[in-house]
């Protein structure tokens, strides 16, 4: 495989295939190129089955671009497991959500943000909830609740509402009622929202040893692009999916962490090195 276009550190990142690797690289320095070359290298030089390589990214566009790059280097490589976290979690839940015994079946469907707004509007109408807060903002609050695992107590809700600049006791109670009803109606309709995809896979891998082992054994290599966009639950999922061989690779730039509102945090780089012992940092 031709690596002549890569500089020395990029070549090290591509060819250091055993054990944990963390690449710190600034904007425009070829982060994604290194990751896709690494996947191609694993397939062409080490003979790794593409279906045993899992690569995470954060947008469908980025995932498609990475697949295209790998396929150009390794024609017909059919690297199907280059996916967003949400797409990977969807695949896992479509096979194993019933193992949680929470009422969802593997035939569940996904609702998008527009569907969420419609559902919240219907709940507010059905329960005659009067609020200055619009349904779309309540949907954002629901997302924050699921991101933070905020418990059902007034103090937590009040802090959350202040974050959305609606510090009103009546709206705090409305948020509680809407969230509880929202979750019940999703479950009754066998539906999930995008936050549920992450949360339920996190719960599944945390609590079901057999399911965790199944998915760990499916992959020999796990890679993450744009690692700075990783939130805590996504990092936990990464840890659960990496086997004892610790063949894990992440590339990113802590100075580009822009999705803090989605839970991304720059300290994830330190957590990576601490958890994956013996990490080679490039």
């Amino acid at each position: 495989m031709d690596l002549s276009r890569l500089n020395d550190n990029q070549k090290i990142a591509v060819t250091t295939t055993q054990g944990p690797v963390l690449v710190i690289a600034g904007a425009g320095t070829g982060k994604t190129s290194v990751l896709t070359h690494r996947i191609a290298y694993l397939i062409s030089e080490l003979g790794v089955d593409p279906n045993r390589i899992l690569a995470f990214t954060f947008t469908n566009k980025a995932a498609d671009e990475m697949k295209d790059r790998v396929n150009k280097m390794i024609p017909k490589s059919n690297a199907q497991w280059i996916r967003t976290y949400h797409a990977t979690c969807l695949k896992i839940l479509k096979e194993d959500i019933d193992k949680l015994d929470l009422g969802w079946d593997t035939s569940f469907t996904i609702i998008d943000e527009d569907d969420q707004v419609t559902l919240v509007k219907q709940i507010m109408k059905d329960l005659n909830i009067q609020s200055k807060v619009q349904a779309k903002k309540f949907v954002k609050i629901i997302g924050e609740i699921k991101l933070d695992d905020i418990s059902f107590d007034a103090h937590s809700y009040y802090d959350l509402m202040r974050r959305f600049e609606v510090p009103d006791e009546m709206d705090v109670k409305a948020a509680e009622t809407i969230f509880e009803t929202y979750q019940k109606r999703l479950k009754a309709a066998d539906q999930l929202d995008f936050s549920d995809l992450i949360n339920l896979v996190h719960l599944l891998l945390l609590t079901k040893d057999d399911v965790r082992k199944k998915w760990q054994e499916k992959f020999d290599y796990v890679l993450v692009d744009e690692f700075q966009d990783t939130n805590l639950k996504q990092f936990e999922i990464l840890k659960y999916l990496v086997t004892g061989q610790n063949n894990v690779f992440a590339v990113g730039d802590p100075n580009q962490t822009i999705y803090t509102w989605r839970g991304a945090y720059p300290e994830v780089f330190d957590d990576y090195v601490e958890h994956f012992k013996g990490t080679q940092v490039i």
Side-chain angles (χ1 to χ4, degrees):
M1 180 178 171
D2 183 14
L3 302 179
S4 61
R5 293 187 178 182
L6 304 182
N7 65 35
D8 289 344
N9 273 4
Q10 288 174 329
K11 289 176 184 176
I12 292 171
V14 168
T15 59
T16 304
T17 58
Q18 300 303 301
V21 176
L22 176 62
V23 176
I24 309 295
T29 57
K31 294 191 295 293
T32 302
S33 179
V34 164
L35 187 143
T36 52
H37 273 82
R38 183 181 174 89
I39 294 173
Y41 184 86
L42 289 170
I43 297 169
S44 66
E45 302 302 314
L46 300 189
V48 178
D49 182 345
N51 288 316
R52 297 193 65 80
I53 301 171
L54 171 62
F56 286 117
T57 189
F58 289 86
T59 68
N60 291 323
K61 181 180 179 181
D64 290 341
E65 180 182 339
M66 287 164 62
K67 288 178 186 177
D68 289 342
R69 290 193 190 189
V70 172
N71 286 331
K72 286 178 181 177
M73 288 184 275
I74 311 293
K76 299 180 181 180
S77 62
N78 196 30
Q80 293 298 310
W81 283 97
I82 300 175
R83 297 170 177 240
T84 64
Y85 268 98
H86 287 92
T88 302
C89 289
L90 175 60
K91 176 65 174 176
I92 292 172
L93 292 175
K94 278 296 183 181
E95 292 193 25
D96 292 313
I97 193 173
D98 55 323
K99 309 298 193 304
L100 285 172
D101 295 323
L102 292 177
W104 282 285
D105 187 79
T106 54
S107 61
F108 69 85
T109 57
I110 303 295
I111 66 171
D112 61 20
E113 186 174 345
D114 290 339
D115 296 326
Q116 289 178 278
V117 172
T118 299
L119 177 55
V120 168
K121 285 181 178 178
Q122 188 62 49
I123 290 169
M124 294 176 74
K125 179 180 178 181
D126 293 345
L127 302 183
N128 194 28
I129 292 175
Q130 305 296 321
S131 173
K132 299 186 293 293
V133 183
Q134 294 183 343
K136 191 168 186 178
K137 185 167 282 191
F138 273 124
V139 168
K140 292 185 182 299
I141 292 169
I142 288 170
E144 288 283 331
I145 291 169
K146 293 187 177 187
L147 179 65
D148 293 344
D149 282 335
I150 292 173
S151 58
F152 294 122
D153 67 83
H155 180 72
S156 294
Y157 272 87
Y158 188 73
D159 287 344
L160 186 60
M161 298 297 280
R162 284 197 306 173
R163 206 184 309 175
F164 284 88
E165 299 178 349
V166 282
D168 187 290
E169 293 292 349
M170 184 178 71
D171 292 325
V172 172
K173 186 61 179 177
E176 280 189 273
T177 303
I178 289 170
F179 180 71
E180 292 170 347
T181 307
Y182 172 90
Q183 283 301 101
K184 289 177 182 177
R185 292 196 181 182
L186 280 189
K187 189 175 292 188
D190 204 19
Q191 294 176 326
L192 301 177
D193 63 26
F194 286 107
S195 296
D196 292 327
L197 295 177
I198 300 294
N199 288 349
L200 293 180
V201 166
H202 180 267
L203 180 63
L204 187 63
L205 298 177
L206 173 67
T207 61
K208 304 298 179 182
D209 294 346
D210 55 336
V211 175
R212 183 172 65 251
K213 184 178 180 181
K214 165 190 168 180
W215 288 98
Q216 284 178 339
E217 291 179 346
K218 185 172 181 62
F219 305 109
D220 295 322
Y221 293 87
V222 183
L223 306 91
V224 187
D225 194 26
E226 304 292 358
F227 188 60
Q228 72 278 353
D229 295 334
T230 306
N231 67 33
L232 183 59
K233 284 182 183 173
Q234 290 165 339
F235 182 54
E236 291 287 327
I237 289 170
L238 174 68
K239 291 192 293 184
Y240 292 140
L241 291 175
V242 174
T243 66
Q245 297 179 54
N246 270 359
N247 289 331
V248 58
F249 173 93
V251 57
D253 177 7
N255 294 320
Q256 291 186 63
T257 302
I258 61 174
Y259 291 118
T260 53
W261 56 278
R262 294 181 185 170
Y265 65 113
E267 296 81 8
V268 70
F269 289 83
D270 296 328
D271 290 348
Y272 183 100
V273 173
E274 181 177 347
H275 178 79
F276 297 113
K277 303 301 183 185
T279 292
Q280 178 165 340
V281 180
I282 301 170

